[in-house]
Amino acid sequence: MKTISENRCFGGVQGVYSHPSQATGTEMTFGLFLPEGAEEGPVPVLWYLSGLTCTHENAMTKAGAQAWAAEAGIALVFPDTSPRGEGVANDDAYDLGQGAGFYVNATQNPWAPHFRMWDYVTDELPSLLFGAFPLAEGAQAITGHSMGGHGALTIAMSFPGRFRSVSAFAPICNPTGSDWGRKQFSAYLGPDEAAWAAHDSSLLMKKYGFDGPMLIDQGTADQFIDLLKPEALASAMAERRQGGTLRMQKGYDHSYYFVQTFMPDHIAFHSEALRG
């Protein structure tokens, strides 16, 4: 693992690191914020999964999360959204290829050799982090924005007991029923729609639910709301009688201004679950 940068930040350290990944067959980069308390021992950790076109850097610099995480004594992990580099398949569209891994393991060419973001985020990167940094493996939570909100919800429901809480900002809620999902799943996973269901949070909600607190914020002025389909997840939550909160925030769009506004609520929400 290489240290790209480490900067003092709200009493802690905001670092950026890279490492060779067996899952993706590429060099992967991630951001990690460690609060001051990490100098004394392991701290709880909140995973933040980013959206389409993003790298590890977008949320790290735009979400305004470090100040609140420092106050709560929580570490933040900012993974990249896809493999990158020479020889990695790509597409001219912003919503497919590099920057758009959708947190799945691709089975179709040309994506299959490198696009294994499910294994990377759920297995390889956690193993690396808990072996190298003072993080409490038994105190994890997960959140994300847009495509990353999709990833956070599907991962949380697929690993019962791993995460004490889950939240999302404007997540892609029903990708099997949206152009933000059907296009990518067809490319990455092939035409068999049965293989897509494991990566649809609305379908997973009906089947499994989540064994902890949930918080979802969605802006009513989100320019992509018809692609996100929050109503599908709300219906699934009601059908399952899942405990949780889905808030429609009047006038907010899909931008990081929206994420910044409600980040304090999400950090406090996870802090209560992680410390409780």
Side-chain angles (χ1 to χ4, degrees):
M1 185 170 61
K2 300 175 184 177
T3 299
I4 296 175
S5 63
E6 288 183 333
N7 299 94
R8 202 69 176 167
C9 182
F10 294 103
V13 175
Q14 176 62 65
V16 177
Y17 309 90
S18 69
H19 69 101
S21 167
Q22 290 186 351
T24 67
T26 66
E27 190 79 3
M28 295 295 291
T29 302
F30 65 91
L32 173 67
F33 171 73
L34 289 173
E36 189 173 12
E39 297 173 6
E40 301 176 2
V43 295
V45 57
L46 175 61
W47 294 78
Y48 184 102
L49 304 186
S50 292
L52 289 166
T53 75
C54 292
T55 69
H56 69 281
E57 189 175 21
N58 295 73
M60 193 178 79
T61 59
K62 294 181 180 180
Q66 289 91 335
W68 306 104
E71 185 176 314
I74 295 172
L76 299 168
V77 182
F78 304 100
D80 203 347
T81 57
S82 78
R84 301 175 191 274
E86 187 177 352
V88 176
N90 201 11
D91 190 271
D92 290 338
Y94 74 94
D95 58 355
L96 186 67
Q98 296 185 35
F102 261 76
Y103 304 100
V104 302
N105 286 339
T107 59
Q108 308 297 303
N109 288 325
W111 315 105
H114 300 293
F115 279 74
R116 302 190 62 81
M117 290 303 294
W118 180 270
D119 283 354
Y120 178 72
V121 170
T122 66
D123 184 20
E124 184 177 31
L125 185 56
S127 295
L128 175 67
L129 289 174
F130 291 117
F133 298 98
L135 304 172
E137 189 170 0
Q140 298 183 65
I142 191 166
T143 188
H145 173 227
S146 193
M147 180 185 72
H150 141 78
L153 291 169
T154 57
I155 289 170
M157 285 187 275
S158 298
F159 290 88
R162 179 181 294 195
F163 301 99
R164 295 193 186 178
S165 51
V166 62
S167 73
F169 301 86
I172 302 173
C173 296
N174 184 208
T176 63
S178 167
D179 287 343
W180 269 3
R182 295 189 64 83
K183 171 185 175 180
Q184 293 80 6
F185 289 175
S186 294
Y188 296 145
L189 303 177
D192 182 5
E193 297 190 17
W196 304 358
H199 299 285
D200 186 306
S201 61
S202 295
L203 300 180
L204 289 174
M205 175 58 64
K206 292 179 181 180
K207 189 172 183 179
Y208 299 119
F210 178 67
D211 56 350
M214 298 181 64
L215 172 63
I216 298 161
D217 276 313
Q218 171 64 60
T220 62
D222 192 317
Q223 59 271 46
F224 303 115
I225 196 166
D226 290 339
L227 294 167
L228 302 173
K229 296 188 175 294
E231 65 279 1
L233 182 59
S235 175
M237 291 175 68
E239 182 177 324
R240 188 172 181 83
R241 300 178 182 174
Q242 167 78 39
T245 302
L246 195 160
R247 308 188 299 190
M248 301 299 295
Q249 302 291 1
K250 187 175 181 179
Y252 284 89
D253 59 18
H254 200 70
S255 70
Y256 266 98
Y257 297 112
F258 159 66
V259 174
Q260 289 173 16
T261 300
F262 298 103
M263 182 58 72
D265 290 358
H266 285 243
I267 296 289
F269 165 79
H270 289 297
S271 178
E272 182 177 355
L274 290 166
R275 298 293 184 182

